[in-house]
């Protein structure tokens, strides 16, 4: 039996010639007890970086890599920041700090560098995620079943994602899906989602409900157990 972590991985490997009769899809799950809405965590992260409680905080969580397309995110964020002084941006992950000269140059060129917060690697990612109003994945290729998106939904954070991997399946009605490598589509989607989440908390509640209904880690474990039992039975 070959277990694929996403439908997109299944499709790619089937086209490569893997025996689809031996393949099944078991998507990632999220620890719903760890990733959840948390006012204390939200306030703690915002206090740490001097971000006001009523500021809209948009995050991109992921290592600095061409796959993640940080330049597209920075350009879209800059356009939003210049139009709305109530929005700030948080970037977190390996290589996402002030020692990264390439990223620092990109941000400096925006003329709104003070609106960007670079956290680097964090070991309290559940608190960082809970502090966000919107989670963004600007990846241009190569994603499977994004843990970052799952963790955002579980934390009651809606998402904007490029149409890579299984993003559509994950985000569902709790955000927007856009084409990769399209700065204007990314800017527009982020702006639209910030307007929607400002109106009421329905989207945030829907995000958490979606994670509970579809992406709990217990469900993932159960599916693996079913595979193992099936193999033993044969």
């Amino acid at each position: 039996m070959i277990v694929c972590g996403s439908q997109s991985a299944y499709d790619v490997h089937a086209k490569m010639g893997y025996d689809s009769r031996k393949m099944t899809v078991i998507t990632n799950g999220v620890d719903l007890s760890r990733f959840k809405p948390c006012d204390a965590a939200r306030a703690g992260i915002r206090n740490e970086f001097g971000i006001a409680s009523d500021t809209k905080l948009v995050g991109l969580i992921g290592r600095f890599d061409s796959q993640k397309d940080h330049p597209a995110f920075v350009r879209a964020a800059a356009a939003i920041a210049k139009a709305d002084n109530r929005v700030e941006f948080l970037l977190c992950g390996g290589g996402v700090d002030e020692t990264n000269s390439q990223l620092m140059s990109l941000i400096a060129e925006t003329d709104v560098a003070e609106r960007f917060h670079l956290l680097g690697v964090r070991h309290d990612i559940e608190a960082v995620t809970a502090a966000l109003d919107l989670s963004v994945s600007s990846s241009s290729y190569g994603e499977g079943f994004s843990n970052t998106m799952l963790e955002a939904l579980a934390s009651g954070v809606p998402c904007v994602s490029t149409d890579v991997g299984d993003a559509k399946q994950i985000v569902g009605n709790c955000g927007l899906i856009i084409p990769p490598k399209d700065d204007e589509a990314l800017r527009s989607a982020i702006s639209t989602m910030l307007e929607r989440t400002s109106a009421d908390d329905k989207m945030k509640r829907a995000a958490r409900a979606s994670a509970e209904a579809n992406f709990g880690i217990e469900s993932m474990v159960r599916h693996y157990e079913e595979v193992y039992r099936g193999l033993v039975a044969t």
Side-chain angles (χ1 to χ4, degrees):
M1 176 65 71
I2 302 169
V3 176
C4 302
S6 65
Q7 185 61 47
S8 56
Y10 179 102
D11 295 341
V12 166
H13 287 85
K15 290 179 181 178
M16 291 171 63
Y18 283 69
D19 188 347
S20 60
R21 294 171 300 176
K22 296 181 180 179
M23 294 166 63
T24 190
V25 176
I26 301 178
T27 56
N28 298 340
V30 62
D31 185 346
L32 295 167
S33 65
R34 179 185 177 196
F35 289 91
K36 57 188 176 183
C38 180
D39 291 340
R42 177 183 174 89
I45 293 296
R46 286 167 176 258
N47 288 339
E48 180 179 350
F49 295 97
I51 302 168
S53 60
D54 59 349
T55 292
K56 289 295 181 181
L57 188 58
V58 179
L60 189 158
I61 297 175
R63 70 189 184 282
F64 190 77
D65 186 281
S66 60
Q67 173 189 355
K68 305 298 182 182
D69 203 357
H70 284 80
F73 177 80
V74 170
R75 290 190 295 266
I80 293 167
K82 291 174 182 177
D84 189 343
N85 60 13
R86 301 165 299 170
V87 184
E88 297 185 21
F89 303 89
L90 181 154
L91 296 90
C92 177
V96 184
D97 56 38
E98 295 181 358
T99 67
N100 185 329
S101 59
Q102 181 182 350
L103 181 57
M104 291 299 291
S105 294
L106 285 169
I107 292 174
E109 291 171 1
T110 68
D111 295 327
V112 285
E114 71 280 0
R115 308 278 279 280
F116 291 84
H117 305 274
L118 307 184
L119 278 61
V121 174
R122 299 281 298 211
H123 300 290
D124 58 345
I125 200 67
E126 65 275 19
V128 173
T129 304
L132 303 178
D133 292 293
L134 182 68
S135 181
V136 174
S137 173
S138 54
S139 295
S140 56
Y141 65 92
E143 296 289 357
F145 205 86
S146 171
N147 286 330
T148 298
M149 293 289 101
L150 293 184
E151 291 164 0
L153 294 180
S155 302
V157 179
C159 302
V160 167
S161 177
T162 49
D163 189 7
V164 294
D166 286 11
K168 283 182 179 178
Q169 178 183 347
I170 298 168
V171 174
N173 296 323
C174 302
L176 293 173
I177 301 294
I178 58 167
K181 300 182 180 180
D182 188 332
D183 291 8
E184 175 54 26
L186 183 59
R187 182 209 62 77
S188 178
I190 293 172
S191 295
T192 297
M193 286 304 300
L194 288 176
E195 291 176 4
R196 290 182 183 178
T197 56
S198 294
D200 56 50
D201 289 334
K202 286 183 179 179
M203 187 72 72
K204 295 179 181 180
R205 293 195 298 271
R208 175 65 184 184
S210 177
E212 291 176 339
N214 303 303
F215 304 123
I217 198 167
E218 294 84 0
S219 176
M220 181 191 76
V221 170
R222 185 172 64 254
H223 288 140
Y224 273 103
E225 290 175 342
E226 290 170 356
V227 167
Y228 298 150
R229 290 194 178 101
L231 290 172
V232 171
T234 58

